[in-house]
Amino acid sequence: MTKEMTKEKYPRIPSSTYRLQFNRWFTFAQAREIVPYLHVLGVTDAYASPYFQAGAESLHGYDITDHNKFNAAIGSREEYDSWIAELHAHSMGQVLDFVPNHVGIAEPLNEWWMDVLENGPSSRYAPYFDIDWHPLKWDLRDKVLLPILSDQYGRVLERGELHVRFKEGTFYLLYGERRLPIAPGTYRYVLEIALQNLAEYKDEDFYAELQSILTALEYLPKRTETDPKRIGERIREKEIIKRRLERRCAEAPQVQHAIEKALAQINGEPGDPRSFDALDELLNAQSYRLAFWRVAAEEINYRRFFDVNDLAAIRVELPKVFDATHRLLLELVCTRAVTGLRIDHPDGLYLPREYFEKLQQRCAKALAIALPQDGRAIYMVAEKILTGAETLRKDWLVHGTTGYDFSNQVAQLLVDSSAETAITKTFHRFIGHSLPFGHLLYAKKLQVMKLSLANDVNVLGNMVDRLSEQNRWYRDFTLEALARAVRETIACFPVYRTYLAPGQPVSEEDRQIVERAVTAAKRRNPAIEESIFNFLRDVLVFRFPENLDVEARTEHTHFVLKFQQTTGPIMAKGLEDTVFYIYNRLAALNEVGGEPQQFGLSIDEFHERNRDRQRDWPATLLATSTHDTKRSEDVRARMVAISEMPELWRRWLQRWRLTNRRWKRTINEVEAPDANEEYLLYQTLLGTWPIRDSGEPESAATQEYIERIQAYMAKALHEAKINTSWIQPNEEWDASMRDFVAKILDPSRRNKFIPAFVPIAQEVARLGAINSLTQTLLKLTLPGVPDIYQGNEIWDYSLVDPDNRRPVDYKRRREMLDALPGATPEELVRNWPDGRIKMFLTQQVLQFRREHVDLFRRGEYLPLAASGTFAECCVSFARELAGKWIAVIAPRLSSRVGFPPVGERWKDTAIEFPETLSFEHAHDLFTCRPIHHEGRHVSVADAMSILPFGAITNLR
């Protein structure tokens, strides 16, 4: 650690961040190699994906199995320290993506989960997980439902796919490559048979020893014990039994042989169903119940991350769980290896505000500093998805969000709102019907609650039913009526969640959210007794009956907090992972936190959002691409351009549909793929079609490109859940889309689609490039901290994961950056398809930001008005601090101006500067040439005489 890093004032606010996706293909050693490149680019802080122990094959790192170990697939501690040393040598910090909500449970590396499966409620780690040990289904009492089987349990069993194995004194179950523990108390199922196999050795010591082990197993505390003393006894004695068994097998091979023979008998013989009875009995005695993954949603009894069975939620609100999961993290904060944090999915936390408060306090202690007056010891951003007019909670001790909100604002700015009616008509005519967004979202949230998150909602229904039974005014409400009221209220919830907390007054914002949801639910369900909704509403805003005792109030409060944890995943699965693959009017707007029912954002509204951000969250992240976005910033920038050509879009759609109709199939009297899927496909092709360095579109698709589009469309169809899904794949429909993509992208000359497609692809690519440069310039200069997703300093046409997690070619990028000083602005514009112009823009502004940190951190935000022919086609503002300033001019709706939108194409368009900005020393940031002005006006034609973007500053 350098002296500068140890002396640095905390919290360290990044000037910019660069997201790195760590996995086995991108390691600590590779991250160290690119630090000098990132420094020259102008980046001040690396922004790391999770790198604690996870599955070796994990491409994202969110399936952490141990928060206190590094992922060996990414590198050793020595390699990590070497990377950190290189960052510090370049005065760079590191923001780490931290996952407090859940752990990966697919790997035996997760010792906590393995212990729970072995010991059930008596596991010392059972309280760490959110497990319902007493569900309504009696067969699941004191068990965990494990939906990991590829088929019905009985079929998997009788096919001989489940095998009990024995190694080093321990029995375990093997299913494919998955290893599950066998409860020690059930070892007797095997050992009793083994003892029979040793009948001829009754006089031997090892026979008596095996009998003694069986006796010890009888006295072993049961797996349902919850008394701490008995749990401690069980932990001690079961390990002693395992060691005795291991030692006896080593000393007497006859015992090992008898056990292996017993296992051969228990594991059964395919073709003989009765031979599996013993194995079935053994498995039924475990602390888990194996189930088919597709049919387990209604009965799964552990809280998950959304509906991902392999990610189990943990109760980080418990002090011992917090301490156990944050030990290594706080060590890294202490050594300044980690200087900032991104907190993943805070809406899944039981009490988010309390979590942020506690984490800031612990970070202050780790840094050996006094907690700052505002309670923020370390830079921290929350992955909070805001909807509509919702704002980030002011009492959260964070510096902002991860930038989804900005990404959607800038995309909406680039939409031509005047085309809304035309684009909407084209969409509805193409798919053959209207598609009201609000109704669609309501229906899909109900679908999610019926399918993938059914048990989560059933639990809430049962909880509120028990609450109603405690009061004579409400006890007549039936379980079904209450459960339906819960489902309908969640389906009508306008945001991801509320944030009520025990002992805290209910905010007006939360009260209004609940009122809106309940009012909407009443309107949609006139047949349900209104008083049921009123009861639920009162509970959800802590308006409890006065006669409740302390225990009853605790139960009511717990229901509210569980309800709050549930609404977020349902919104996410219903909106992001369903509706966003159906409501394809302009798919570029279908992004995390997006509002695709809105069509465009005015320049004045955009300025207002920026003022709000400067006032409330000046250090929030500004993102345009992330690991979670549905498509990269450059793909989105192209697809948004469709709004600028509504008539052309309508005509070409009709032509493409006629040309490609012959490649469709008829499945159950319906065309496959359907019209909505085809509509999304054409937008996706326009967003990703390769462009040569000459600016001409490629005349044929490569096999790699075809396979990428096939993979994307397969995911889109499964997420939409209309004609196929992950749970119930329609293989014939899946094949029809796969074949349709292959046919319409066939590179042979017989294909009539591609010649009809490339002309509009070229136009969209040009407009998209300008849009992308605009959003890059805005991101780098507006209030907030700009974040660059790996590789996106040049054009990147990736789609949703895993497409956006492909390896980045840093060798090529280093070479491009090294060669940039020799390129003229004219050359960069002329050769825009090679991506150097985006890298040039990024480097120039990032370096300027790094040199003038206070200007961007504390500088006033001043909207600048445009006048003239193309006043609507540019957005301009200035950042000013103590006489130092930079003014930015960026194009939008550039199809009206021409390509490239430079020089005289802007005609009489001009920007008016306020009197407070002195023109003395004013020059172009990118070319260093002086800027001409007439009075307080600067001609856009002059400000963007060469480059299709402008930045003027008085700073040398």
Side-chain angles (χ1 to χ4, degrees), residues 777 780-781 825 840-849 851-852 855-856 885-888 921-931 943 947 949-956:
L777 178 58
L780 297 177
T781 53
F840 169 79
L841 168 61
T842 301
Q843 182 192 37
Q844 292 293 309
V845 182
L846 283 184
Q847 290 187 346
F848 185 81
R849 280 186 68 97
E851 293 165 5
H852 305 286
L855 173 62
F856 289 96
W885 58 268
I886 181 174
V888 170
H921 305 306
H923 62 278
D924 186 305
L925 173 66
F926 304 109
T927 64
C928 296
R929 64 182 181 80
I931 290 294
L947 293 165
F949 47 80
I952 305 167
T953 181
N954 68 343
L955 289 165
R956 294 187 180 278

Side-chain angles (χ1 to χ4, degrees), residues 118-119 122 183-186 215-238 241:
E118 181 183 55
N119 299 295
S122 70
T186 64
T215 301
L217 288 172
E218 289 181 21
Y219 287 96
L220 185 71
K222 304 300 181 187
R223 59 180 177 80
T224 53
E225 285 284 357
T226 54
D227 177 75
K229 289 184 179 179
R230 295 285 284 167
I231 289 175
E233 180 185 344
R234 177 184 170 87
I235 291 170
R236 181 181 68 249
E237 294 302 320
K238 72 181 178 67
I241 291 170

Side-chain angles (χ1 to χ4, degrees), residues 502-636:
Q504 299 293 324
V506 178
S507 71
E508 186 58 30
E509 184 176 358
D510 284 332
R511 196 185 314 279
Q512 288 181 8
I513 289 168
V514 172
E515 290 281 0
R516 280 178 60 193
V518 171
T519 300
K522 287 179 182 178
R523 188 174 63 250
R524 287 185 178 274
N525 297 273
I528 297 181
E529 170 63 41
E530 186 174 339
S531 60
I532 297 175
F533 283 114
N534 292 341
F535 168 66
L536 179 61
R537 176 202 60 206
D538 289 347
V539 172
L540 290 177
V541 294
F542 283 174
R543 202 180 295 143
F544 303 152
E546 293 181 4
N547 62 341
L548 293 184
D549 58 24
V550 174
E551 184 180 351
R553 282 186 172 274
T554 301
E555 287 183 33
H556 279 63
T557 302
H558 181 58
F559 166 76
V560 175
L561 300 185
K562 292 293 290 182
F563 181 93
Q564 292 183 148
Q565 281 183 300
T566 305
T567 56
I570 292 167
M571 174 71 95
K573 296 305 295 182
L575 180 63
E576 299 167 37
D577 293 346
T578 307
V579 171
F580 280 178
Y581 289 96
I582 301 173
Y583 191 78
N584 295 316
R585 179 178 66 169
L586 188 61
L589 303 180
N590 296 3
E591 277 299 349
V592 179
E595 303 276 337
Q597 73 276 27
Q598 178 183 335
F599 202 87
L601 187 71
S602 72
I603 292 175
D604 287 343
E605 290 171 320
F606 184 68
H607 284 314
E608 192 61 37
R609 305 286 174 87
N610 297 328
R611 281 199 200 94
D612 291 345
R613 191 184 318 111
Q614 176 66 18
R615 181 187 66 242
D616 299 330
W617 304 101
T620 190
L621 276 190
L622 306 180
T624 42
S625 279
T626 76
H627 61 287
D628 270 337
T629 44
K630 306 297 183 188
R631 49 193 62 81
S632 76
E633 59 195 50
D634 297 324
V635 174
R636 192 182 318 118

Side-chain angles (χ1 to χ4, degrees), residues 671-695:
E671 276 193 346
D674 70 22
N676 197 18
E677 294 161 353
E678 186 179 4
Y679 193 87
L680 173 62
L681 173 60
Y682 294 142
Q683 291 183 74
T684 303
L685 293 177
L686 287 174
T688 57
W689 193 261
I691 301 294
R692 298 171 183 162
D693 286 351
S694 65

Side-chain angles (χ1 to χ4, degrees), residues 781-829:
T781 53
L782 284 169
V785 176
D787 172 50
I788 300 166
Y789 184 69
Q790 59 176 25
N792 278 236
E793 58 270 32
I794 62 175
W795 307 132
D796 180 272
Y797 299 106
S798 296
L799 293 163
V800 73
D801 67 278
D803 195 58
N804 63 1
R805 293 168 189 173
R806 291 172 294 159
V808 176
D809 186 350
Y810 283 110
K811 180 176 182 295
R812 178 189 171 210
R813 284 163 175 75
R814 276 193 294 261
E815 291 170 352
M816 290 174 69
L817 190 63
D818 290 344
L820 264 187
T824 64
E826 292 86 352
E827 179 188 346
L828 295 175
V829 174

Side-chain angles (χ1 to χ4, degrees), residues 875-893:
V875 58
S876 185
F877 58 89
R879 306 295 306 280
E880 188 271 337
L881 180 68
K884 301 174 182 178
W885 58 268
I886 181 174
V888 170
I889 307 170
R892 63 188 286 266
L893 313 183

